[in-house]
Amino acid sequence: IIAATTEARGVLLETFRRRIPVIIELPPLRDRPLQERLSLIELFTRRESTRLNRPIRLSGRALEVFLSYRCPANIGDLRSDLQLCFAKSHLAALADSSLSRTGPSSGDKQPPVSSESALKVDIDVIPQKVYSAVEEMDLPSDPQLLRLLSQGLLIEPGQSLSVCSTES
């Protein structure tokens, strides 16, 4: 639907509501079930892994923070916050690689971070605004979720979620 009006702001919206009486309300992220939040985190992590063509390892601690994140706005904020974490982790990996190549004992240059090495996301890259919106949560006794929170998750480009065998 494309529309234009010369009337005061808000009149057009009321006209649509009167003529198209369908209102779709989407609950904010903070009101969504834990499993749905986990699915969103997995989706955004998978998309980023595919975009970077690099595995992403999200630590159990970081996953717990994002699951208990009572995002005050919408799902787009969750995606942005995760992308910020991925970017910080990527920059840290590049810096580590650069330091190891230019260290005093390295005569030969080492290759840059391999696209096959997992991008590690832990709590040190999570923005403060996320921490300020974290609330205590009652975890269900779901064994799969508890395993994810204790071991973290690893997402390969183009593949589904897998539990990390160990956190590193």
Side-chain angles (χ1 to χ4, degrees), residues 95-110:
D96 287 347
S97 173
S98 176
L99 286 176
S100 66
R101 282 188 303 209
T102 60
S105 62
S106 69
D108 297 325
K109 288 193 173 188
Q110 297 176 355

Side-chain angles (χ1 to χ4, degrees), residues 29-146:
L29 183 64
R30 65 181 171 269
D31 295 337
R32 293 178 187 238
L34 189 63
Q35 190 59 42
E36 187 174 347
R37 287 183 266 162
L38 178 61
S39 296
L40 289 168
I41 292 167
E42 178 189 349
L43 172 71
F44 297 142
T45 304
R46 182 181 299 118
R47 283 182 182 171
E48 192 68 11
S49 174
T50 300
R51 189 182 75 76
L52 294 172
N53 195 28
R54 183 174 186 182
I56 296 178
R57 179 181 305 247
L58 196 62
S59 77
R61 296 179 301 176
L63 181 60
E64 185 173 357
V65 168
F66 275 106
L67 284 174
S68 58
Y69 177 33
R70 303 279 292 172
C71 186
N74 61 27
I75 295 170
D77 281 348
L78 174 65
R79 184 186 64 219
S80 296
D81 293 333
L82 282 166
Q83 285 176 332
L84 180 59
C85 291
F86 302 144
K88 285 180 173 183
S89 295
H90 183 68
L91 287 175
L94 288 176
D96 287 347
S97 173
S98 176
L99 286 176
S100 66
R101 282 188 303 209
T102 60
S105 62
S106 69
D108 297 325
K109 288 193 173 188
Q110 297 176 355
V113 175
S114 166
S115 64
E116 297 302 314
S117 64
L119 186 65
K120 295 176 181 122
V121 178
D122 204 354
I123 58 172
D124 58 335
V125 296
I126 296 176
Q128 183 58 43
K129 78 170 202 143
V130 172
Y131 282 114
S132 64
V134 167
E135 292 183 356
E136 286 291 319
M137 71 175 173
D138 296 322
L139 293 175
S141 59
D142 177 16
Q144 182 181 7
L145 179 61
L146 294 174

Side-chain angles (χ1 to χ4, degrees), residues 3 5-6 15 17 25 41 63 93 112 116 124 133 137 151 161 164:
T5 183
T6 58
T15 302
R17 284 190 178 165
E25 290 188 33
I41 292 167
L63 181 60
E116 297 302 314
D124 58 335
M137 71 175 173
Q151 297 179 353
L161 166 97
C164 299

